[in-house]
Amino acid sequence: DAGITQSPRYKITETGRQVTLMCHQTWSHSYMFWYRQDLGHGLRLIYYSAAADITDKGEVPDGYVVSRSKTENFPLTLESATRSQTSVYFCASAREKPLSGNTIYFGEGSWLTVV
Amino acid sequence: GENVGLHLPTLSVQEGDNSIINCAYSNSASDYFIWYKQESGKGPQFIIDIRSNMDKRQGQRVTVLLNKTVKHLSLQIAATQPGDSAVYFCAENMRSGGSYIPTFGRGTSLIVHP
């Protein structure tokens, strides 16, 4: 059971570069999410997707782009990385109709440093 | 000076003690709440959940209490063990259009001393 995997796990990039973080889940979950985690802010939602080809902005979407051409993949792209985007990024997935029992499963995180 | 906003609330307990971690949520319309545990260097893991039509739910060594009147959630861990040391987050599922979006609190760091 592979679950949810993120790649790369660690990345250092330069300001202005484009970076894509990959997320893949094997459960055929409808919902997928991208969060960033920063000290003092906890987990903040960047984008989410309720199904393939459907994406919506979260709390902090500026500077990020997502796509969901396939149910199992939800890549996050930083079009022109800035130092303020240095963070730990978590991908998550959940079944449809999130009520009781619809646990959100998280990946192991991608540590991104923008220099 | 020190910016205390950058530091997580911390609870330090002795092994074997009971721990209580508190969380205030923001939206009175939220109808589903979840507690997550995050160990260092890992993603958050589900611990226990509760729906808004309940005020208490018990799991293995953990109990979640919900007080909708004051929008307060607590996680009780019985006989705390060193392996319970982690950051604990509460999350509320807020309805956004036709979807439910998990919104997380800042977290509380639990330190268990052997």
Side-chain angles (χ1 to χ4, degrees):
Chain A
D1 186 355
I4 184 164
T5 55
Q6 295 183 228
S7 63
R9 293 293 312 282
Y10 303 94
K11 175 79 176 176
I12 300 174
T13 191
E14 294 177 337
T15 300
R17 298 262 188 176
Q18 183 180 82
V19 177
T20 295
L21 305 179
M22 305 300 293
C23 180
H24 177 79
Q25 51 103 355
T26 60
W27 296 306
S28 298
H29 284 173
S30 293
Y31 283 80
M32 295 189 75
F33 309 87
W34 273 107
Y35 288 88
R36 61 177 288 174
Q37 186 173 38
D38 305 289
L39 191 63
H41 290 283
L43 287 156
R44 292 184 291 174
L45 183 65
I46 305 171
Y47 269 95
Y48 69 99
S49 168
D53 296 322
I54 300 174
T55 62
D56 278 294
K57 294 178 180 179
E59 181 185 354
V60 288
D62 292 343
Y64 303 95
V65 174
V66 292
S67 61
R68 186 108 182 262
S69 58
K70 293 184 178 180
T71 300
E72 61 267 30
N73 296 324
F74 191 39
L76 175 74
T77 297
L78 288 67
E79 294 188 298
S80 178
T82 64
R83 288 193 180 90
S84 65
Q85 292 177 309
T86 293
S87 187
V88 183
Y89 291 85
F90 287 99
C91 180
S93 72
R95 290 181 314 188
E96 196 170 358
K97 299 214 182 284
L99 292 174
S100 179
N102 184 49
T103 303
I104 306 160
Y105 296 91
F106 283 84
E108 291 292 280
S110 294
W111 272 252
L112 176 67
T113 301
V114 183
V115 298
Chain B
E2 182 180 3
N3 184 344
V4 296
L6 293 177
H7 297 275
L8 287 176
T10 300
L11 176 64
S12 290
V13 301
Q14 290 295 127
E15 182 178 0
D17 287 352
N18 295 332
S19 301
I20 299 176
I21 300 171
N22 296 305
C23 176
Y25 63 93
S26 59
N27 191 339
S28 56
S30 294
D31 56 7
Y32 177 54
F33 305 88
I34 315 162
W35 278 100
Y36 284 88
K37 173 186 180 183
Q38 186 178 24
E39 296 175 329
S40 180
K42 296 186 177 181
Q45 289 182 297
F46 172 88
I47 302 173
I48 192 168
D49 58 1
I50 188 167
R51 297 183 68 173
S52 59
N53 60 355
M54 304 169 69
D55 53 22
K56 180 179 179 180
R57 190 164 188 221
Q58 288 185 292
Q60 187 178 16
R61 280 203 307 120
V62 295
T63 300
V64 56
L65 299 177
L66 175 63
N67 185 330
K68 295 181 286 294
T69 302
V70 294
K71 293 190 286 186
H72 183 267
L73 204 61
S74 68
L75 177 71
Q76 300 178 358
I77 305 174
T80 314
Q81 302 167 0
D84 295 327
S85 293
V87 176
Y88 290 81
F89 294 93
C90 67
E92 57 184 307
N93 253 18
M94 297 173 63
R95 185 185 277 272
S96 175
S99 300
Y100 287 85
I101 305 305
T103 302
F104 289 79
R106 285 179 55 217
T108 296
S109 177
L110 176 65
I111 300 171
V112 182
H113 301 281

